[in-house]
Amino acid sequence: MVDITSKEAVYREAVAEGVIRLRPSTVKRIMEGRVEKGDTLSISRVAAIQAVKKTPDILPLCHNIPITHVDVNYEFIGEDRVKVVVRVKTTAKTGVEMEALTGVSIALLNIWDMVKKYEKDERGQYPDTRIEHIRVLSKIKGK
């Protein structure tokens, strides 16, 4: 783990995003609240927040820092994609990019898990389903 002892704690913020591509019929189910496992977006929001807080448990060299805010938003793109955007804030000695990326990744994985029943083909495969474009949109250090 990198030694950050001598660094000053300052305001930090990071925004990350990612997209899951699904069958149009699956996206429609999500929008209409007709997913058997429950409210896909609400449950994925909670999963993202939990993932942000657990990032140091998943990434062994990531510092354990106090998370002061997590915001999770969704956007439907076309008829076959859902975009997840996660914003993480803290006042700490190191940034929160990994936390934002982890939150996005887990939200997308949770969406997949909740709708996989509708995505499988006759052989049990996922020909249309994929997670794409996970990236850091922005980061701020200090204000």
Side-chain angles (χ1 to χ4, degrees):
M1 185 180 274
V2 174
D3 186 356
I4 59 171
T5 306
S6 63
K7 292 178 79 174
E8 234 180 276
V10 297
Y11 175 79
R12 312 273 186 155
E13 180 179 316
V15 180
E17 73 174 6
V19 173
I20 186 165
R21 188 177 297 262
L22 302 164
R23 293 177 173 174
S25 59
T26 303
V27 172
K28 187 174 181 185
R29 278 183 175 279
I30 293 169
M31 293 173 74
E32 294 174 352
R34 294 187 301 110
V35 174
E36 184 179 333
K37 285 189 173 183
D39 183 342
T40 305
L41 301 184
S42 293
I43 296 167
S44 295
R45 178 175 281 112
V46 172
I49 293 167
Q50 284 182 316
V52 166
K53 296 190 301 184
K54 293 287 190 180
T55 299
D57 295 335
I58 300 166
L59 302 174
L61 299 182
C62 202
H63 291 87
N64 191 358
I65 58 177
I67 301 301
T68 58
H69 181 75
V70 180
D71 187 44
V72 182
N73 288 293
Y74 301 98
E75 181 182 336
F76 292 98
I77 302 171
E79 61 180 15
D80 64 347
R81 288 170 285 159
V82 181
K83 182 188 339 184
V84 178
V85 179
V86 174
R87 179 182 307 272
V88 181
K89 297 179 183 180
T90 189
T91 299
K93 296 180 177 191
T94 188
V96 286
E97 308 93 289
M98 299 316 296
E99 288 78 2
L101 288 165
T102 301
V104 165
S105 299
I106 294 302
L108 293 167
L109 288 170
N110 191 77
I111 291 170
W112 190 321
D113 177 58
M114 291 189 70
V115 302
K116 64 187 175 190
K117 169 183 181 175
Y118 313 112
E119 289 294 297
K120 292 178 186 177
D121 66 13
E122 60 281 345
R123 296 180 301 116
Q125 302 301 308
Y126 300 98
D128 302 310
T129 316
R130 60 185 172 275
I131 291 174
E132 310 173 311
H133 311 298
I134 297 174
R135 65 185 182 129
V136 174
L137 289 176
S138 65
K139 61 180 262 183
I140 297 170
K141 177 183 174 185
K143 273 200 170 185

